């Protein structure tokens, strides 16, 4: 059977990636060699020979090759950065590296099915912003996918569970703690449809951070006491040999972390991992307890739980109404995570492997998405053959959905007496003959299985009862939950000349979002033929001040590119639309020139400089001090104590640690620091509101009392 639906679902993960496919009503996770999971890792040797996946991951075992291995590039998707393979003299962008992983998965699918898939549903974190979504879509094109559709990871996980549930009404909370990102989503099931209520998360929080905690705070201090490793460090400014050593240690830390999920104490020994500065072979010999690891992991895990609590609070869904707490991602195997999630008090769901559930759900969703007509394999229609234009829902929660369509033979309706029949692939149901009316139309119901995908063979007979070849000759319907449109995690807008932001499409808007047009005027003019330009910043975020949002790109209008002068006050129309995958289309139309201008480059993620972020941190500290003083004056001692505790929080130390790495050019740390700063700013604002309202009320009462005394 030629595929008419996408069928292939890919979890493009930070640490590992998985591809699954829907075949004959069953979900198959496709093995790459002997493994269902492919490490999201790329390696080039000095000859330029490439390895991807398991074989590339093995090159992290030696310092000499580890520095030519790239991984966790998903965390810098949408940024204008390049990862370097020094030995090979090559540089790749994050989306190019992601394309290598996607290509590897396509090859695995081809080895299993005989041909490389032309389309796939590819999952992304729910909190991916517009630049990151666009970069992922671009990576899919680079990998050879002619068509791709993005699906948020928590939604995919919920679809996988919905594929095997008969729930008619429920609320689920998806907790997705992966290797590099954390997502939490509340999802409602109503009348056979799955709908996202609200997302929250952090794109820079994952299990990889815990590996580095083990390296930096456990392994390195112990090795440094026994070996000559005075310069052992990591980052852009560290020596290649030291970066290589640290990457080797991180690989061992990951093994220790996994062992601690099973054992209370790990006595770890690995000899000759590399040589120290004196040429002595270094052995890793250490005893690490689960308690010790959990002290290191606690801040990250507690942050994930804090995000969950805030999500529940802001969603408007009472915790008592949440039916299931679905665990997704490799980090959910950590006992500390299990304890914290169980303590929330919502029944835990882990029936599906947390490592493959996202890919499996993506495949279920893909089986309900028809291939665009341009991607279908062209089929020659012989004279006298039938062509069917079918209408049906690709996914259904009822076991007797409707199927209809129009049948033509040689471009016209068949003669009276022609019939069509449908038969399910397991021969468990047959429609019998269904009459085709004079216009070529037919209409019937089919009976699908209450699990998986049902494929129906379509046969056409003419008025004489002779079998007529038909294209297409089959259709497939998946039993499961359909998906309502997902919400946009962060808004999209433009920066204005006064420093404010005009958010044209706010976060939470259901996708796809049709074009929104904003009429504006240029504050200053531009002379044709000059080297000057007018710039319109395109923002990702929902904050009222432009500087508090991410600048994704600019629409640049260059003096050398215009046919006439643009005076100050000239009208310009900004138009933004966002498709179902969260990929934006943006342009500016200037009526005076009758020309449209698009961003000069794809939208990307740009971060503030470290010194600007430090100014924001200081502003938060000042605000917390003001809140504490106001609370003391108003005798709001509980709020005063809360402000004091927040001001002395270890989160500020964590922010500074990441800013130091941002000083060295680590954009991953820049994103992580940005998220922590935003989170602390919001918490400070909430405290300020709690203090300022009763303070204002007290001041109002004092003024009112004084006025009454004067009036008396």
């Amino acid at each position: 059977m030629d595929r008419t639906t996408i069928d292939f679902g890919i979890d493009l993960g930070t640490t590992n990636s998985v591809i699954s496919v829907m075949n004959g009503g069953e979900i198959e996770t496709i093995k790459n060699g002997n493994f269902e999971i492919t490490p999201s890792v790329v390696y080039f040797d000095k000859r330029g020979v490439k390895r991807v996946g398991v074989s590339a991951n093995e090159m992290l075992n030696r310092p000499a090759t580890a520095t030519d291995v790239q991984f966790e590039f998903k965390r810098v998707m949408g940024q204008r950065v390049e990862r370097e393979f020094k030995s090979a003299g090559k540089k790749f962008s994050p989306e190019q590296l992601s394309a290598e992983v996607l290509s590897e998965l396509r090859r695995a699918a081809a080895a299993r099915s005989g041909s490389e898939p032309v389309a796939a549903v590819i999952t992304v974190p729910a909190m991916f912003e517009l630049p990151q979504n666009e970069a992922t879509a671009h990576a899919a094109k680079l990998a050879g996918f002619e068509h791709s559709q993005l699906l948020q990871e928590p939604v995919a996980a919920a679809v996988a569970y919905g594929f095997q549930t008969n729930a008619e009404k429920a609320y689920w909370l998806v907790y997705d703690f992966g290797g590099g990102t954390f997502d939490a989503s509340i999802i409602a099931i109503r009348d056979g449809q799955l709908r996202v209520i609200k997302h929250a998360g952090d794109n820079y929080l994952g299990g990889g951070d815990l590996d580095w905690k083990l390296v930096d705070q456990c392994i390195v201090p112990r090795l440094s006491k026994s070996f000559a490793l005075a310069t052992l460090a990591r980052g852009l400014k560290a020596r290649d040999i030291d970066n290589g050593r640290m990457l080797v240690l991180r690989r061992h830390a990951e093994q220790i972390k996994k062992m601690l999920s099973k054992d209370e104490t790990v006595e770890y020994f690995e000899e000759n991992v590399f040589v120290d500065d004196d040429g002595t072979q270094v052995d890793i010999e250490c005893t690490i307890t689960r308690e010790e690891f959990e002290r290191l992991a606690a801040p990250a895990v507690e942050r994930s739980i804090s995000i969950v609590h805030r999500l529940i609070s802001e969603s408007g869904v009472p915790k008592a109404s949440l039916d299931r707490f679905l665990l997704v991602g490799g980090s959910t195997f950590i006992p500390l995570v299990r304890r914290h999630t169980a303590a929330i008090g919502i029944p835990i769901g882990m029936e599906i492997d947390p490592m493959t559930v996202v890919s499996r759900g993506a495949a279920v969703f893909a089986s309900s998405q028809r291939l665009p007509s341009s991607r279908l394999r062209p089929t020659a229609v012989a004279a006298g053959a039938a062509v069917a234009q079918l209408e049906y829902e690709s996914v259904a929660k009822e076991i007797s959905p409707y199927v209809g369509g129009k049948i033509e033979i040689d471009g016209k309706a068949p003669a009276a007496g022609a019939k069509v029949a449908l038969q399910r692939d397991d021969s468990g149901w047959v429609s019998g003959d269904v009459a085709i009316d004079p216009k070529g139309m037919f209409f019937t119901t089919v009976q699908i299985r209450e699990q998986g995908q049902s494929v129906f063979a379509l046969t056409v007979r003419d008025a004489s009862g002779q079998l007529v070849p038909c294209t297409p000759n089959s259709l497939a319907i998946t039993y499961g939950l359909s998906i309502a449109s997902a919400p946009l995690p962060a808004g999209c807008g433009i920066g204005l000349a006064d420093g404010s932001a005009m958010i044209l499409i706010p976060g939470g808007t259901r996708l796809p979002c049709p074009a929104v047009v904003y009429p504006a005027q240029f504050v200053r003019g531009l002379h044709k033929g000059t080297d000057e330009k007018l710039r319109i910043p395109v923002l990702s975020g929902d904050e009222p001040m432009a500087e508090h949002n991410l600048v994704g790109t600019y629409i640049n209008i260059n003096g050398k590119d215009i046919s006439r002068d643009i005076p100050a006050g000239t009208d310009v129309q900004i138009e933004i639309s966002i498709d179902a995958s969260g990929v934006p289309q943006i342009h500016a139309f200037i009526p005076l020139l009758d020309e449209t201008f698009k961003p000069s480059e794809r939208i990307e993620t740009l971060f503030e400089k470290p010194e600007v972020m430090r100014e924001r941190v200081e502003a938060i500290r000042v605000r917390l001090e003001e809140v504490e003083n106001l609370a003391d004056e108003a005798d709001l001692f509980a709020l005063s104590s809360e402000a004091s505790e927040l001001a002395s929080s270890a989160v500020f130390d964590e922010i500074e640690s990441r800013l130091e790495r941002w000083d060295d050019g680590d954009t991953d740390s820049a994103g992580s620091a940005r998220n922590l700063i935003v989170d602390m700013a919001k918490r400070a604002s909430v405290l300020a509101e709690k203090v300022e309202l009763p303070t204002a009320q007290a001041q109002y009462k004092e003024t009112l009392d004084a006025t009454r005394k004067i009036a008396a």
Side-chain angles (χ1 to χ4, degrees), residues 17-345:
S17 295
V18 186
I19 183 169
S20 297
V21 65
M22 179 70 83
N23 275 326
E26 299 293 332
I27 311 170
E28 177 189 357
T29 298
I30 298 173
K31 288 186 177 182
N32 187 1
N34 296 321
F35 305 98
E36 288 185 339
I37 295 169
T38 297
S40 301
V41 181
V42 180
Y43 166 76
F44 279 92
D45 66 18
K46 62 184 179 181
R47 301 167 299 167
V49 176
K50 175 182 65 184
R51 298 187 186 185
V52 180
V54 173
S55 61
N57 205 35
E58 292 172 350
M59 306 311 291
L60 287 168
N61 290 324
R62 296 186 295 132
T65 56
T67 52
D68 283 319
V69 178
Q70 295 297 340
F71 57 96
E72 292 188 349
F73 31 82
K74 176 178 175 177
R75 296 181 84 166
V76 290
M77 288 287 277
Q79 297 180 27
R80 191 185 297 177
V81 296
E82 289 185 315
R83 295 287 185 88
E84 184 177 7
F85 299 90
K86 290 185 177 180
S87 297
K90 296 177 179 290
K91 292 183 179 180
F92 287 79
S93 67
E95 52 261 52
Q96 287 174 319
L97 292 169
S98 295
E100 295 291 351
V101 176
L102 290 171
S103 295
E104 180 72 10
L105 297 176
R106 281 190 79 211
R107 283 191 288 272
R112 178 69 180 87
S113 63
S115 61
E116 291 186 331
V118 298
V121 168
I122 300 172
T123 63
V124 293
M127 298 307 292
F128 251 23
E129 292 163 324
L130 299 176
Q132 296 163 308
N133 285 337
E134 187 172 14
T136 304
H138 185 232
K141 288 182 180 179
L142 293 176
F145 286 105
E146 298 173 26
H147 174 75
S148 66
Q149 189 167 338
L150 306 187
L151 180 67
Q152 293 166 333
E153 289 167 3
V155 177
V159 169
Y161 276 91
F163 187 59
Q164 58 185 33
T165 184
N166 290 316
E168 295 294 332
K169 182 178 179 180
Y171 285 108
W172 292 347
L173 194 152
V174 180
Y175 177 96
D176 186 353
F177 200 164
T181 61
F182 172 73
D183 280 328
S185 298
I186 291 179
I187 292 172
I189 298 173
R190 291 291 185 277
D191 301 321
Q193 189 175 68
L194 184 151
R195 182 182 181 88
V196 178
I197 301 298
K198 192 172 180 63
H199 288 308
D202 187 338
N203 291 336
Y204 301 92
L205 176 65
D209 300 303
L210 308 184
D211 300 337
W212 281 121
K213 290 280 188 183
L214 275 173
V215 172
D216 295 335
Q217 299 185 37
C218 287
I219 299 176
V220 168
R222 296 178 190 188
L223 290 180
S224 297
K225 292 178 180 179
S226 304
F227 299 97
L229 298 169
T231 63
L232 195 57
R234 60 189 171 99
L236 296 177
K237 295 183 179 180
R239 298 184 306 169
D240 286 347
I241 183 62
D242 286 320
N243 268 321
R245 290 166 172 171
M246 291 293 277
L247 290 172
V248 170
L249 295 181
R250 183 187 186 276
R251 185 155 165 77
H252 288 287
E254 183 181 10
Q255 296 304 313
I256 293 171
K257 178 185 70 177
K258 291 179 179 178
M259 294 166 71
L260 286 170
S261 291
K262 300 178 181 178
D263 304 318
E264 292 286 343
T265 301
V266 171
E267 295 181 358
Y268 194 81
F269 177 72
E270 187 71 29
E271 60 183 342
N272 301 335
V273 292
F274 51 75
V275 296
D276 69 5
D277 294 338
D278 293 337
T280 303
Q281 288 286 348
V282 173
D283 302 332
I284 301 176
E285 185 175 8
C286 60
T287 299
I288 298 177
T289 65
R290 182 183 291 176
E291 181 182 5
E292 185 179 4
F293 169 67
E294 289 184 347
R295 283 198 300 270
L296 300 177
V301 176
E302 289 167 2
R303 174 162 169 72
S304 76
I305 299 301
S306 174
I307 290 172
V308 167
H309 284 304
R310 188 168 68 245
L311 171 67
I312 295 172
S313 174
E314 295 176 355
S315 71
V317 179
K319 188 174 78 170
S321 297
L322 293 169
D323 301 282
R324 303 197 75 192
F325 195 104
L326 305 181
L327 298 185
V328 179
S331 296
T332 60
F333 288 107
I334 297 173
L336 180 65
V337 172
R338 297 283 183 89
R339 294 202 303 274
H340 274 283
T341 52
I344 293 176

Side-chain angles (χ1 to χ4, degrees), residues 356-536:
T356 62
V357 61
V358 169
S359 171
R360 293 174 67 83
V364 174
F365 178 72
S367 72
S368 71
Q369 302 300 297
R370 300 187 199 181
L371 283 168
S373 57
S374 60
R375 307 304 176 201
L376 294 173
R377 182 181 299 175
T379 302
V381 180
V387 175
Q389 298 176 11
L390 302 174
E391 294 294 333
Y392 60 95
E393 294 293 332
S394 298
V395 61
K397 199 61 178 174
E398 302 81 20
I399 62 170
S400 299
Y402 292 104
V403 173
K406 183 177 183 180
I407 305 291
E408 291 185 342
I409 298 176
D410 294 333
K412 57 186 179 182
K419 294 179 175 59
V420 63
L422 293 157
Q423 178 173 322
R424 202 169 66 200
D425 51 349
D426 62 354
S427 300
W429 179 88
V430 180
S431 68
D433 289 337
V434 178
I436 300 173
D437 72 15
K439 294 183 179 180
M441 308 296 292
F442 77 94
F443 187 73
T444 187
T445 60
V446 297
Q447 188 167 344
I448 64 175
R449 292 187 293 269
E450 292 191 51
Q451 187 174 7
Q453 186 183 58
S454 298
V455 180
F456 296 88
L458 179 73
T459 56
V460 176
R461 293 184 183 275
D462 63 19
S464 66
Q466 292 296 313
L467 190 65
V468 179
C470 183
T471 301
N473 60 5
S474 65
L475 62 95
I477 301 177
T478 300
Y479 178 82
L481 299 170
S482 61
I483 298 178
S485 55
L488 183 68
C492 184
I494 59 170
L496 303 181
D498 63 0
S500 66
M502 174 53 64
I503 306 302
L504 302 184
I505 303 177
T509 300
R510 296 285 163 180
L511 299 176
C513 179
V516 175
V517 179
Y518 177 69
Q521 293 180 327
F522 289 114
V523 172
R524 65 179 182 85
L526 179 66
H527 293 292
K528 72 170 185 177
T530 65
D531 291 328
E532 295 181 351
K533 69 176 72 171
L534 294 172
R535 289 203 313 177
I536 303 172

